[in-house]
Amino acid sequence: MKQATLHQLRVFEAVARHSSFTRAAEELFLTQPSVSMQVKQLSKSVGMPLFEQVGKRLYLTEAGKELLGTCREVFERLAQFEMTVADLKGLKQGQLRLCVITTAKYVIPRLLGTFCQRYPGIDCSLTVTNHEGLQERLNDNQDDIYILSQPPSSPDVACHPFLENPLVVLASVNHPLASETNIPLDRLNGEPFIMREPGSGTRHAVQKLFDEHSVEVKVRLDLGSNEAIKQAIAGELGISVLSRHVLALEGWRNQLTILDVQGFPIPRHWYAIYPTGKQLSVVARTFCDYLLNEGRQIIEQTTNFKQTAFDQFPEDKSVGTPENSSV
Ligand code: PGA
């Protein structure tokens, strides 16, 4: 391994993560032949093949799996070292790696904007994925802080709630139920429905509620994107259940409406979590404090989150507004 370079390890890790030379090359802004060459040289240094190709798929060999674990430990230690140096310098600088579920993408970039203006020395990377993808990244210790709605029950995870993330029933403004109030849940039986993809936390929460009340919607489409679902609802393909935050900002009022269905909104919260054993850098700690202390205020000031809480429901309904809900 004396011949192996850090660059080769980074290339190898990217290929292993994507199970693809092409995607690794895209991520690293390298050519595909250059990626193949780096991996080939690394295999030579190891003295064993690191990948095997079965059909069209690329698999790690046993040696490859061992090396991947070692790579991640090395990168984590290097990242910690960088942070220690930043801490020693006493400056708010360094790297912040965030991973957030899809609903949080409607607010976290906005919060990052203010944060980065305050601390211009900080470089941020933000990965947006669904619940299952986030869980995998958490297991692989790939980021500093994770934001999700359904935290793992493990005591090894520190978990800080910071804002409500209610799930609401969305329909086209032309939907026959749009003008009704207090709609019984079983009226959704047989409704054409657009569902988030398997592995989505939203899908899991919706399915749980429907199963508990024996509601059977007619799933017309599985879609892996909140934005695509909004378009499909506006196109009158069906109704769906999504986070109220997906309505942040844009002029959705002419096209989409929140149906007043019993049992909704499904109350949920966003949590900032990280493994308790993880030594948070000063940058990650600073971001976490910022999120918990100022996050709500900035989101309320910069999106229509508060407005949608009041406009769509009478005061006495349990809409989980910032004022009346508790964590
Ligand atoms: P999802 O998660 O993107 O996996 O649906 C959203 C949520 O759990 O709020």
Side-chain angles (χ1 to χ4, degrees):
M1 284 298 282
K2 279 198 187 121
Q3 312 296 326
T5 65
L6 203 53
H7 177 60
Q8 286 170 353
L9 294 179
R10 290 208 190 278
V11 171
F12 162 75
E13 192 274 337
V15 176
R17 184 159 31 83
H18 291 293
S19 300
S20 159
F21 285 89
T22 314
R23 295 233 295 276
E26 280 165 13
E27 178 184 303
L28 299 169
F29 301 107
L30 295 171
T31 61
Q32 212 250 9
S34 151
V35 166
S36 304
M37 179 54 73
Q38 298 296 330
V39 172
K40 199 166 160 194
Q41 282 169 355
L42 187 60
S43 306
K44 210 163 142 203
S45 309
V46 172
M48 293 179 86
L50 301 171
F51 293 102
E52 57 196 1
Q53 181 108 27
V54 180
K56 283 194 173 165
R57 283 211 59 182
L58 197 61
Y59 293 91
L60 281 168
T61 59
E62 277 310 306
K65 285 182 196 159
E66 284 296 323
L67 183 59
L68 181 60
T70 308
C71 274
R72 291 200 168 140
E73 280 169 29
V74 169
F75 297 153
E76 178 62 22
R77 291 301 301 268
L78 281 175
Q80 273 173 14
F81 171 72
E82 275 176 13
M83 284 161 188
T84 308
V85 171
D87 287 6
L88 285 174
K89 285 182 185 162
L91 297 170
K92 299 280 193 282
Q93 69 175 39
Q95 245 228 326
L96 175 65
R97 293 168 302 174
L98 293 177
C99 178
V100 309
I101 46 158
T102 63
T103 50
K105 79 171 179 199
Y106 292 92
V107 299
I108 297 298
R110 193 161 276 271
L111 290 176
L112 272 178
T114 316
F115 184 73
C116 291
Q117 274 163 20
R118 199 176 292 174
Y119 305 111
I122 293 177
D123 291 329
C124 301
S125 75
L126 176 68
T127 302
V128 180
T129 180
N130 71 9
H131 182 81
E132 193 173 83
L134 186 145
Q135 200 79 42
E136 277 167 20
R137 290 183 70 94
L138 173 67
N139 293 342
D140 291 342
N141 190 24
Q142 291 195 38
D143 306 279
D144 297 314
I145 295 175
Y146 304 82
I147 292 172
L148 80 176
S149 307
Q150 214 185 315
S153 46
S154 153
D156 301 335
V157 173
C159 184
H160 305 284
F162 67 93
L163 193 67
E164 299 84 355
N165 177 28
L167 297 182
V168 295
V169 186
L170 290 181
S172 151
V173 284
N174 301 323
H175 194 278
L177 295 176
S179 54
E180 297 198 18
T181 56
N182 211 14
I183 302 160
L185 190 53
D186 60 12
R187 290 277 298 278
L188 300 190
N189 270 315
E191 268 294 321
F193 198 87
I194 305 153
M195 192 64 110
R196 281 286 307 275
E197 78 289 358
S200 143
T202 308
R203 178 186 176 113
H204 181 262
V206 174
Q207 200 64 63
K208 185 163 169 277
L209 183 82
F210 286 173
D211 287 350
E212 278 166 9
H213 294 84
S214 310
V215 171
E216 275 195 40
V217 290
K218 197 161 62 191
V219 178
R220 269 201 155 165
L221 203 57
D222 274 357
L223 275 182
S225 146
N226 297 320
E227 284 306 299
I229 292 183
K230 277 160 60 185
Q231 295 295 340
I233 299 170
E236 304 190 11
L237 262 175
I239 61 169
S240 189
V241 173
L242 293 177
S243 162
R244 196 174 69 212
H245 289 280
V246 307
L247 301 177
L249 293 183
E250 69 232 72
W252 51 273
R253 272 159 201 271
N254 300 336
Q255 304 186 57
L256 305 183
T257 189
I258 299 177
L259 294 187
D260 181 9
V261 180
Q262 289 172 5
F264 284 91
I266 301 175
R268 304 179 93 214
H269 289 87
W270 278 322
Y271 299 83
I273 71 165
Y274 48 86
T276 39
K278 191 172 176 82
Q279 196 196 337
L280 278 194
S281 67
V282 71
V283 170
R285 278 200 309 272
T286 308
F287 180 76
C288 209
D289 290 345
Y290 161 79
L291 188 65
L292 302 182
N293 297 328
E294 300 176 54
R296 166 188 294 282
Q297 199 192 357
I298 296 174
I299 291 166
E300 283 181 3
Q301 278 167 0
T302 55
T303 71
N304 61 6
F305 173 68
K306 214 172 166 185
Q307 210 183 341
T308 51
F310 292 112
D311 281 3
Q312 292 281 328
F313 295 98
E315 292 274 327
D316 58 343
K317 303 238 31 214
S318 68
V319 291
T321 59
E323 284 71 15
N324 69 10
S325 60
S326 58
V327 171

